[in-house]
Amino acid sequence: MVTASIGPDLIVLAACLIILAMNDTTNAPWPYPRPDSPPLLTPEQAEHTLNVWLVPRFSMLTLFCLLEPLRVANRFGRHLFAWRLLSAHGDAVVASNGVRIDVDGTLASLEDASRLMVVSSYEAEATVSPQDRAVLRRIAAHGGWLGGPDTAPFILARAGVLAGHRVALHWESVPAFRREFPMLEISPTHYEFDAMRLTGSGGSGSIDMMLAWIEHAYGPALADAVGRQLIHPRPRDDGGDTPRQHFGELPRSVTQTLAVMEANLVQALPIPEVCRLVGQSQRQLTRLFQRHFDETPQQCYLGMRLDRARQLLTDSRSLVTEAALATGFSQPAHFTRAYRKRFGEAPSATANKR
């Protein structure tokens, strides 16, 4: 009988094999979205840029809750949102918790039709000058988008840019706001969002406010996916049988796929690329989509793009060619055929109904 002995060389070899196996596991493809991508975007790279005016003694919690949903959304869509921090004079701003934040520019440097969010907290109007309010009026006059949570509605109302809009703000500020601006309608909700104004209660409620913007821009699937990544369940409507109410019942890979699709309507991704991003095989994903939607991922993706095109033709002044390009159709004839098949009319007929 031969007795085997384990020498030092064999032990070293076994340890190396174990380390290699661990590395193979660690380097396996990470289910999308990856935690280390994409990098922070510049305004030139992103489809939407949020300018944030930091008023001295602003709420740090509100600022983080405004920006984190946008950062997470970029993990699904890659080039969706960028942000710039501003102050009245370009100097760093001290938050209510004493933390000093550097900024990227001045409030006055904003272009006319900008998207601006005002972030404040204690003594909201103490440092706001007539020149600052003039910037707000200039943006509003040129069709810009204005918003502000917590006490920022005081600043917006003083500038005269909230007339005709329902206003949401922190509950503690409601009595004073009602006394100062009795002609403005105060909402009991955590946020109020319309095409040109976005106000809210501030704090952690700002997450819901930004998820509403993400949903408006890219659909409920992406907004729900961002909420799940932030461990922030979205409030559900009591009435109505909306598609968003069913997302929580779908498999995780399906909801991630819907989020990736809605975030990439402008430049449609090949289905194999979508499958790679969500870490699912095309065969398995097709089986799940047919089970839950009675259509393939390709059919679902095409339907999303056509629905967005119809929304653009109905709610905006987009030309047919602009709507086609904005939803990933490079060939007008292909777009027209697919559109007519889905809606029973040509895209030009939809545009003419405006």
Side-chain angles (χ1 to χ4, degrees), residues 44-86:
E44 293 74 23
Q45 295 171 315
E47 296 179 13
H48 300 280
T49 297
L50 180 66
N51 296 286
V52 183
W53 175 22
L54 300 180
V55 180
R57 302 193 70 189
F58 69 92
S59 167
M60 185 73 76
L61 174 61
T62 296
L63 175 63
F64 288 168
C65 290
L66 290 175
L67 299 185
E68 283 299 283
L70 305 184
R71 180 189 64 81
V72 173
N74 286 344
R75 293 172 61 190
F76 290 96
R78 294 188 296 282
H79 292 86
L80 304 184
F81 298 101
W83 51 88
R84 297 173 64 240
L85 302 182
L86 308 172

Side-chain angles (χ1 to χ4, degrees), residues 98-163:
V99 175
R100 187 180 183 87
I101 299 292
D102 291 327
V103 299
D104 305 302
T106 65
L107 178 65
S109 66
L110 284 179
E111 297 179 357
D112 290 340
S114 297
R115 181 179 287 106
L116 176 65
M117 183 72 72
V118 183
V119 180
S120 62
S121 182
Y122 299 104
E123 300 177 353
E125 299 182 83
T127 61
V128 177
S129 68
Q131 291 77 15
D132 298 333
R133 290 190 285 269
V135 173
L136 300 180
R137 288 191 290 271
R138 171 169 58 84
I139 293 174
H142 287 82
W145 185 96
L146 293 167
D150 201 340
T151 60
F154 281 92
I155 299 173
L156 297 172
R158 193 78 64 191
V161 297
L162 289 182

Side-chain angles (χ1 to χ4, degrees), residues 159-183:
V161 297
L162 289 182
H165 302 275
R166 284 166 56 91
V167 182
L169 69 165
H170 194 280
W171 61 267
E172 195 175 39
S173 301
V174 168
F177 190 89
R178 181 176 287 117
R179 186 172 58 252
E180 287 281 328
F181 308 101
M183 300 301 293

Side-chain angles (χ1 to χ4, degrees), residues 189-191 204-205 207-212 215 220 223-224 227 232-239 242 244-245:
T189 60
H190 288 303
Y191 64 87
S204 60
I207 296 178
D208 289 320
M209 190 168 72
M210 300 311 286
L211 291 179
E215 178 173 343
D224 274 31
H232 186 82
R234 301 193 67 197
R236 302 305 188 196
D237 297 330
D238 294 330
T242 63
R244 176 154 56 91
Q245 290 175 312

